[in-house]
Amino acid sequence: MEEPMTRKQLLALGWTDATIPRAEADGKLVRLRRGAWVTQLPSNARELHVAAAEAARKAAKDGTVLSHWSAAALWGLHLPDGGAPEIYLTRDGKGGGLVKSDAHLVKAPLNRNEWCLKDGIPVTNLTRTVNDVARMAPFIDGVMVADALLRMKLPPHLLKDANLRARRWPGNAKARRVLDFADGRAESPYESKCRVRLAEIGLSGFVPQYIVTDAWGNGPRTSSAARRNATPTSARRAGGCST
């Protein structure tokens, strides 16, 4: 991913306040946000979001890291169908934060062990990222992100520890419900979505990747099935779970 350039960096490379707008018009420079440019757009929506978030982070105060949906985008976790909805940045402190035209700047407790470098970019670690998303996103999106992390074989207690640390933060009760519902056996975001939709209509107890066997122990593996009667379903066939 190309590193965003600031006005100061462009001027140091020989651009001027007159040539920068002309280069934008000619397509030689692409504006990511106010005061940040690249020479070409990233190849996909995820990379575009990360590039814009990194440009916003560089314009913020020292100690600011990518968080929430922006961190999920950088980590390669599941994003909503429309992509990461907004840029989120966090730095250690108290007081909530500030919503700007193109970014949410959050001030919240941020220990040194809760962030790291990913591809050279400061970002909340995986457990903090998932809990932050689960606190502020719709339940179904939180489950899809949590399932994705558990598929990486992360010990579930690490997610619970992150949730416990944030126990007095807004939305943390919802995040706890997300983590209680999450299941790393779901092999895709659509299987996660299917489980949520089934639960919403009162059908619970579905087990991801359930093997339905006959009297001889032979049988297929289904996307999910009700453990009680081994009734199979799939992300394509369950109501409200189409891919």
Side-chain angles (χ1 to χ4, degrees), residues 2 5-30 37-40:
E2 182 182 350
M5 294 179 288
T6 64
R7 174 180 174 276
K8 183 178 180 180
Q9 289 172 318
L10 288 175
L11 295 178
L13 292 172
W15 299 84
T16 69
D17 286 332
T19 59
I20 290 174
R22 288 202 294 270
E24 284 188 62
D26 294 339
K28 296 178 180 178
L29 287 177
V30 180
W37 294 264
V38 291
T39 57
Q40 61 181 9

Side-chain angles (χ1 to χ4, degrees), residues 18 35 40 45 70 93 107 110 116 119 123 145-146 149 166 191 197 200 210 223 236-237 239:
Q40 61 181 9
S70 297
K107 288 178 64 178
L110 182 66
C116 58
D119 300 334
V123 59
V145 171
L149 184 54
E191 290 180 25
R197 294 303 190 208
E200 287 175 347
Y210 193 84
S223 295
R236 292 185 181 277
R237 295 194 296 124

Side-chain angles (χ1 to χ4, degrees), residues 105-206:
L105 306 176
V106 180
K107 288 178 64 178
L110 182 66
N111 290 343
R112 180 59 187 88
N113 63 359
E114 292 181 304
W115 67 272
C116 58
L117 294 178
K118 164 72 171 167
D119 300 334
I121 300 174
V123 59
T124 50
N125 65 22
L126 281 164
T127 54
R128 172 68 183 261
T129 297
V130 169
N131 198 68
D132 281 345
V133 168
R135 288 191 302 110
M136 47 77 70
F139 182 84
I140 192 168
D141 289 324
V143 169
M144 286 191 277
V145 171
D147 281 359
L149 184 54
L150 292 176
R151 277 197 298 275
M152 299 178 186
K153 305 304 181 184
L154 181 98
H157 74 84
L158 295 180
L159 268 177
K160 298 294 179 69
D161 290 347
N163 180 263
L164 182 62
R165 167 169 160 69
R167 59 187 177 276
R168 292 188 175 88
W169 297 4
N172 205 54
K174 179 175 68 173
R176 187 164 56 251
R177 293 194 299 273
V178 166
L179 301 187
D180 288 341
F181 191 88
D183 192 323
R185 291 174 294 178
E187 290 186 342
S188 75
Y190 301 106
E191 290 180 25
S192 303
K193 179 180 179 181
C194 183
R195 285 193 358 267
V196 174
R197 294 303 190 208
L198 289 169
E200 287 175 347
I201 60 175
L203 298 177
S204 60
F206 277 82

